[in-house]
Amino acid sequence: MASTPIDPTGPSRLFSLTRRTAGVLVSLAFTFLGLLFVTFIIARVVPIDPVLAILGDRATDAQIAAERLRLGLDEPLWKQFGIYVWQAVQGDLGTSIRTKQPVISEIAQYFPATLELATLATIFGVLLGVPAGVLAATKPGSWADQLVRLVGLMGYSMPVFWLGLMGLLLFYGVLGWVGGPGRLDAAFDMMFEFEVTQHTGMILLDTALAGRWDMFANAISHIILPAGILGYLSMAYISRMTRSFMMNELGQEYITTARVKGMPERRVIWVHAMKNVMVPLITVVALSYAFLLEGAVLTETIFGWPGLGSYITDALLVGDMPSVLGGTVVVGVAYIGLNMLSDVLYRLVDPRAR
Amino acid sequence: MAELAAWLRDPSPKSRLQARLGQGYMGWLRFRRNPLAMIGLLIVMLLLVVAALAPVLAPHDPITQDLRMRLLPPLTEGHILGTDDFGRDILSRLIMGSRITLFIIAMVAVTAPLFGMLVGTVAGYFGGLVDEVLMRLTDIFLAFPKLILALALVAVLGPGMENAVLAIALTSWPPYARVARAETLTVRNSDYIAAVRLQGAGAGRIILGHVMPMCLPSVIIRVTLDMAGVILIAAGLGFLGLGVQPPMPEWGAMISAGRKYLFEQWWVATMPGLAIFIVSLGFNLLGDGLRDVLDPRNSGK
Amino acid sequence: MTLLSVQNLRVSFDTEAGLVEAVRGVSFSLGRERLGIVGESGSGKTQTGRAVLRLIRPPGRIEADRMDFDGQNLMTASEREMRALRGRRIAMVMQDPKYSLNPVMKVGAQLMEGLRQRDRLGRAEAHAKAVAALDAVQIRDPERVMEAYPHELSGGMGQRVMIAMMLIPDPDLLIADEPTSALDVTVQAEVLSILDGLVRTRGMGLIFISHDLRLVARFCDRVLVMFKGRVVEELAARDLMQARHPYTQGLLNCLPRIGGPRVPLPALDRNAEWAR
């Protein structure tokens, strides 16, 4: 170390980076395989006979045998699993029993609504949670700290579907400040279907791109409540984590260095400490995003939001297992994807991890 | 009393017991100074008392229907929290429902940490391939969104209380495995484990008798913190009609039943939600306070 | 001319376990000279240094009958006035560059920060000054170091960066808190001689905080010996061998000497009476 003041950079660093990335990819592939294995097992032990579910009770023996052959149910289990994985990798998650449509194309229709909701909620969560956590960390033990703590713990303790109902009751039923269930008023629903090109499937983006600001405003009035409620949960998590990370950083010696240099407290906190807080916070935000995809399952049923959550719960109630499991796989894949994304961002922010 | 306190605070304890109790006492002093944590403790104690005395406390039968009395608002004579759509007293149903909630919590709190600890200690103790395989398995379960996996499991197993418990337990063991493994790695190579091994104890004895007890404290904190989450998932399953079945007074299912009357008879859905909120807030406050006491790094001052 | 004068300085922390008094009535004054403060860990020497910059955070509290820097009362100065003093007129070098440099900021950005934010210099000018500062601490490849992150530097290199950063605005007083304790023995002497040279040529006051009495005596004009938050002895560095206080003698004798007799080193005598 003493002879080389600067660690050698260049090829060895590049090598270690590729090796680490490869390691991450392999472990992700394993996790994906495990995900499919679990859903496969669940699908096999379902008491619902997939053949009867598709053909109905009055099918002839010949029809049943043909269908079994088509579904590959006569093959040994390991081979069935192999086929399942192969199809899943190609995007084939089976056929919905309810609608006889491919599960993947149905999910493609439902997913943007969930994505829009979860994204907006995460934006709320970060914009409110990070300053709240920083405020609490800079004044530990103060009333502001206690308040942030209590508001955060309350968010951890509320059943999200109940919070949704209460929100609807107050802001829609009593005060009339927001639009009710659904993504748009009924009057706009048809118009959106026929007059707006759906580039993204996300209503705010599509209406804005089409310049239909009347519709955009209406969509805002509908999304604000569910996104606000999910955003509150996200804020609860992010503010608590930010507080603990920030407390940790503010105790570090480099903070003293910045103060010795005469930097104002604002800069010490928001530049020096924040740059370090960002590193673990990225993982937290990714986690909370994933957690919102899940929270959406219960919220969407309350708000009649046509997203993945509604899709899964509706399918569940009629025993449409391919749809349920397909939805589970997609959410699982989103989890894995977010994990990978946070890993990449983490490396970008922290020079020591490169 | 003062003598006892002095004995507990003795800076140079004469015995191990005194040192232990003294530590506990100091922890309690610190815990007691945190008003939020004390509120949490109070709520959890209250839940235990209410569940234990439920049949005595409930003013009405929680199951018997009386359609003449349906949808009475709160503060009606004899029905402080009002009645539901079948004319049942909501307060009585909440009181009886506390038993269901407590039962689910207790079942999950016993099974999931035990299984997680078993996986974690075995992985940590043996290391190598065993560790690799078990931890990979844990990661896979962690990659699943909890609620959705529980939903899929209950969909397969069929609705009901036992299956709900099973599904929640199956989705909540991985964090305990992680914690237990980390603890195991720190004690695995310690001298006293080597001593036990030299006395001829097998791996099973060592893990059960000497490694697992070391993991207990950190796992217990984790369990307290997770209980609120268990309550919420159980309520979520009940809300979707996949948990405890009517007419049993499960709080989540009660909210679901009140949904139809949300805008006219708001109390039917509101009251059980408040009960869930208060109880899980109690567990969260308690767990948070416990962590502050037991993990000095987190205490602000 | 007196640069800094401190009278009856007290630093206390209100903790769970009761009130902890880290510094209990320390008085000294300093011109453009080099003052050493010596003591074991926990003797209050670090807190004394930080109290001068008013860098004790709550729950810590600073009290003093008097604490003046160049005619300005540090006890009554506003936070804004303190900020103007910190960095520009009083600077501090801390123990371990591994912790005292921000791990996720480039060295160059940290060097230029004071110039850009505090002195409102342009980018090019700040850059030139930062490079010159690195040159002054004998860093051969300043441009490359500017682009490096702290973890890419060795300990000695990091500490030189730290010194460069603190000396950029040409302060009147430098507080060096164990500036070489975390470094390899081989680079300690090098870093010390750089520090010494810069302090001499620029004629600034120096408070050198260390646990190593002999080292301090070599670098300083005067030495304060601290024990449990109090000054037990103050003496000129050249009179060190005539130290009268038993604690100071203890500190002197607990170091092995090359060529000295091979007997077990004496344990340091810590008499609670001295701290009264």
Side-chain angles (χ1 to χ4, degrees):
Chain A
M1 274 300 271
S3 59
T4 49
I6 297 182
D7 280 354
T9 52
S12 71
R13 190 202 251 184
L14 193 67
F15 176 69
S16 85
L17 183 63
T18 34
R19 205 177 51 178
R20 249 185 303 188
T21 313
V24 170
L25 284 178
V26 167
S27 101
L28 284 177
F30 259 106
T31 315
F32 180 61
L33 214 61
L35 193 83
L36 289 176
F37 185 68
V38 174
T39 51
F40 177 76
I41 295 291
I42 292 176
R44 287 303 140 208
V45 294
V46 175
I48 304 165
D49 185 328
V51 177
L52 285 183
I54 292 169
L55 296 175
D57 309 344
R58 274 178 287 165
T60 61
D61 286 354
Q63 279 175 315
I64 291 176
E67 190 65 23
R68 283 188 72 85
L69 195 67
R70 198 181 67 79
L71 291 174
L73 290 176
D74 295 325
E75 304 281 356
L77 266 184
W78 64 266
K79 201 163 173 187
Q80 286 186 38
F81 180 59
I83 295 170
Y84 179 64
V85 171
W86 181 238
Q87 288 176 338
V89 168
Q90 291 172 316
D92 178 2
L93 293 173
T95 309
S96 161
I97 291 170
R98 240 178 341 165
T99 61
K100 311 279 188 272
Q101 299 292 315
V103 169
I104 192 77
S105 61
E106 289 200 324
I107 289 178
Q109 281 174 23
Y110 281 89
F111 197 56
T114 299
L115 202 64
E116 187 172 30
L117 190 58
T119 306
L120 197 60
T122 302
I123 293 172
F124 284 161
V126 172
L127 287 185
L128 294 173
V130 173
V134 170
L135 178 70
T138 48
K139 297 192 171 99
S142 67
W143 66 266
D145 181 25
Q146 296 286 348
L147 187 72
V148 169
R149 185 176 180 144
L150 188 66
V151 168
L153 281 178
M154 279 169 65
Y156 273 48
S157 313
M158 284 195 208
V160 58
F161 50 94
W162 178 73
L163 193 59
L165 287 175
M166 293 300 109
L168 269 182
L169 177 60
L170 181 64
F171 295 110
Y172 175 62
V174 179
L175 299 170
W177 288 355
V178 300
R183 296 171 90 187
L184 287 169
D185 284 357
F188 281 111
D189 254 344
M190 278 302 203
M191 265 196 263
F192 178 68
E193 204 63 42
F194 293 110
E195 294 173 20
V196 176
T197 331
Q198 298 188 26
H199 296 286
T200 60
M202 288 182 237
I203 219 157
L204 291 179
L205 282 181
D206 285 341
T207 52
L209 284 176
R212 290 295 303 266
W213 300 109
D214 52 335
M215 230 181 260
F216 180 81
N218 188 254
I220 289 270
S221 80
H222 279 264
I223 202 174
I224 196 86
L225 186 58
I229 280 167
L230 286 175
Y232 173 43
L233 301 193
S234 163
M235 186 210 86
Y237 180 49
I238 290 177
S239 68
R240 277 173 70 82
M241 287 321 216
T242 306
R243 177 185 185 273
S244 118
F245 296 150
M246 186 51 95
M247 293 268 283
N248 183 39
E249 293 305 329
L250 286 179
Q252 301 293 321
E253 194 77 331
Y254 70 83
I255 292 295
T256 310
T257 305
R259 288 185 180 135
V260 169
K261 280 200 283 183
M263 291 301 126
E265 205 55 21
R266 202 163 16 95
R267 189 174 166 85
V268 171
I269 290 165
W270 286 102
V271 176
H272 283 272
M274 204 59 204
K275 276 195 174 190
N276 287 274
V277 168
M278 287 274 285
V279 176
L281 201 60
I282 282 173
T283 313
V284 163
V285 172
L287 266 178
S288 90
Y289 199 99
F291 159 82
L292 287 185
L293 288 180
E294 187 180 70
V297 172
L298 287 167
T299 323
E300 285 178 359
T301 53
I302 300 288
F303 288 96
W305 198 261
L308 194 56
S310 293
Y311 179 73
I312 293 177
T313 43
D314 289 352
L316 206 54
L317 296 179
V318 295
D320 182 358
M321 283 317 278
S323 303
V324 173
L325 294 176
T328 310
V329 169
V330 168
V331 178
V333 168
Y335 257 55
I336 296 176
L338 284 167
N339 252 319
M340 195 159 75
L341 186 70
S342 76
D343 207 71
V344 170
L345 287 176
Y346 177 92
R347 271 154 221 273
L348 282 180
V349 176
D350 189 353
R352 289 159 297 184
R354 277 175 217 153
Chain B
M1 211 43 211
E3 243 171 78
L4 178 66
W7 181 75
L8 286 168
R9 293 182 109 157
D10 192 347
S12 44
K14 313 268 179 313
S15 66
R16 261 180 81 154
L17 180 72
Q18 189 183 357
R20 275 270 169 82
L21 289 177
Q23 281 247 304
Y25 181 68
M26 294 305 268
W28 164 245
L29 286 184
R30 218 178 313 159
F31 184 84
R32 213 176 52 177
R33 247 189 315 180
N34 182 345
L36 291 180
M38 284 305 282
I39 294 173
L41 183 65
L42 207 73
I43 292 173
V44 173
M45 304 269 267
L46 204 69
L47 173 73
L48 291 176
V49 171
V50 166
L53 303 176
V56 186
L57 291 174
H60 298 270
D61 186 286
I63 311 273
T64 314
Q65 304 178 3
D66 182 357
L67 293 181
R68 287 167 308 156
M69 306 289 275
R70 71 193 290 266
L71 298 172
L72 294 176
L75 303 179
T76 306
E77 177 101 40
H79 303 284
I80 289 184
L81 299 183
T83 58
D84 68 4
D85 50 333
F86 290 108
R88 297 171 297 200
D89 180 46
I90 292 180
L91 178 65
S92 306
R93 284 178 67 75
L94 288 183
I95 289 175
M96 291 305 276
S98 68
R99 293 192 151 187
I100 298 175
T101 301
L102 203 62
F103 176 78
I104 294 177
I105 299 174
M107 290 303 286
V108 174
V110 170
T111 50
L114 211 64
F115 184 67
M117 260 167 68
L118 200 65
V119 171
T121 46
V122 167
Y125 183 78
F126 289 105
L129 189 66
V130 178
D131 186 27
E132 196 64 34
V133 169
L134 286 178
M135 280 301 118
R136 195 52 69 213
L137 192 74
T138 311
D139 282 348
I140 289 168
F141 273 86
L142 275 176
F144 263 104
K146 242 180 171 182
L147 178 68
I148 292 182
L149 182 60
L151 283 181
L153 282 171
V154 178
V156 168
L157 299 169
M161 176 147 60
E162 292 78 11
N163 289 342
V165 168
L166 190 64
I168 297 173
L170 271 175
T171 53
S172 45
W173 63 268
Y176 304 116
R178 281 270 183 92
V179 172
R181 176 173 174 271
E183 292 283 330
T184 308
L185 287 181
T186 60
V187 298
R188 181 174 67 171
N189 295 322
S190 60
D191 288 345
Y192 81 93
I193 295 289
V196 179
R197 200 177 299 141
L198 284 176
Q199 284 170 4
R205 269 263 312 272
I206 295 177
I207 291 176
L208 284 176
H210 298 274
V211 177
M212 271 205 188
M214 298 307 288
C215 304
L216 268 180
S218 35
V219 168
I220 286 174
I221 299 179
R222 188 74 220 218
V223 169
T224 323
L225 282 168
D226 284 357
M227 281 308 107
V230 170
I231 295 172
L232 295 185
I233 292 191
L237 289 177
F239 179 75
L240 292 174
L242 296 169
V244 181
Q245 295 297 298
M248 295 279 275
E250 198 273 327
W251 295 347
M254 286 170 72
I255 297 179
S256 171
R259 214 181 136 178
K260 293 193 281 286
Y261 312 101
L262 180 66
F263 295 112
E264 290 79 31
Q265 285 85 26
W266 54 270
W267 58 90
V268 187
T270 306
M271 297 306 172
L274 273 179
I276 298 172
F277 169 55
I278 291 171
V279 169
S280 57
L281 184 65
F283 274 101
N284 269 329
L285 292 173
L286 178 66
D288 209 46
L290 274 183
R291 189 178 42 186
D292 273 4
V293 169
L294 298 172
D295 185 0
R297 276 173 309 167
N298 272 331
S299 58
K301 227 176 157 180
Chain C
M1 190 200 86
T2 316
L3 196 58
L4 175 72
S5 85
V6 174
Q7 241 166 54
N8 196 19
L9 173 70
R10 298 175 160 271
V11 178
S12 54
F13 292 87
D14 196 4
T15 67
E16 297 254 291
L19 197 74
V20 176
E21 295 188 290
V23 180
R24 305 179 307 152
V26 165
S27 305
F28 63 91
S29 65
L30 175 80
R32 290 196 181 267
E33 58 180 332
R34 288 162 304 164
L35 174 74
I37 300 183
V38 185
E40 301 168 272
S41 33
S43 62
K45 55 189 195 301
T46 294
Q47 300 306 333
T48 304
R50 294 194 177 192
V52 170
L53 278 160
R54 279 228 331 246
L55 282 175
I56 311 282
R57 309 294 299 174
R61 251 202 355 261
I62 308 173
E63 290 163 289
D65 293 349
R66 214 180 112 182
M67 194 156 75
D68 288 352
F69 175 78
D70 203 13
Q72 192 173 356
N73 187 341
L74 294 182
M75 292 306 290
T76 58
S78 68
E79 190 51 31
R80 193 188 186 86
E81 289 166 323
M82 278 314 292
R83 273 208 305 277
L85 282 180
R86 287 184 204 134
R88 205 171 288 171
R89 303 204 56 198
I90 312 177
M92 179 159 81
V93 174
M94 278 157 299
Q95 185 166 353
D96 194 340
K98 233 184 5 247
Y99 302 111
S100 53
L101 292 171
N102 193 331
V104 300
M105 275 170 90
K106 282 185 181 170
V107 168
Q110 299 191 49
L111 279 166
M112 295 191 297
E113 185 184 22
L115 296 165
R116 307 258 303 142
Q117 299 294 325
R118 193 182 51 212
D119 306 333
R120 303 270 160 216
L121 289 190
R123 190 165 187 80
E125 203 180 342
H127 187 92
K129 279 204 165 190
V131 169
L134 288 179
D135 255 333
V137 292
Q138 297 170 25
I139 284 178
R140 275 181 302 265
D141 197 356
E143 292 290 349
R144 189 167 162 198
V145 171
M146 291 279 280
E147 285 302 306
Y149 284 98
H151 74 279
E152 295 168 323
L153 305 180
S154 66
M157 200 71 155
Q159 198 62 308
R160 285 196 238 177
V161 167
M162 188 76 193
I163 293 171
M165 187 159 83
M166 287 303 166
L167 293 189
I168 283 179
D170 249 326
D172 300 299
L173 172 62
L174 179 69
I175 300 168
D177 186 359
E178 304 258 15
T180 57
S181 313
L183 304 182
D184 280 350
V185 188
T186 45
V187 293
Q188 276 187 1
E190 210 177 314
V191 169
L192 271 177
S193 76
I194 291 172
L195 184 65
D196 188 45
L198 288 170
V199 169
R200 265 175 216 279
T201 51
R202 301 190 187 192
M204 56 183 89
L206 173 73
I207 296 180
F208 191 95
I209 298 169
S210 175
H211 60 275
D212 187 339
L213 192 49
R214 282 165 200 286
L215 185 77
V216 168
R218 239 188 18 247
F219 274 94
C220 299
D221 310 312
R222 221 148 37 91
V223 180
L224 294 182
V225 181
M226 281 187 75
F227 177 67
K228 287 198 175 168
R230 282 183 175 266
V231 175
V232 292
E233 186 161 23
E234 178 176 353
L235 70 177
R238 58 180 179 282
D239 301 332
L240 197 62
M241 290 305 148
Q242 282 86 55
R244 277 188 310 274
H245 199 281
Y247 181 70
T248 316
Q249 288 170 349
L251 282 179
L252 278 170
N253 293 333
C254 68
L255 288 171
R257 222 168 306 162
I258 293 172
R262 293 198 193 182
V263 291
L265 292 169
L268 193 54
D269 188 11
R270 297 183 184 87
N271 191 334
E273 288 292 308
W274 304 334
R276 279 175 193 272

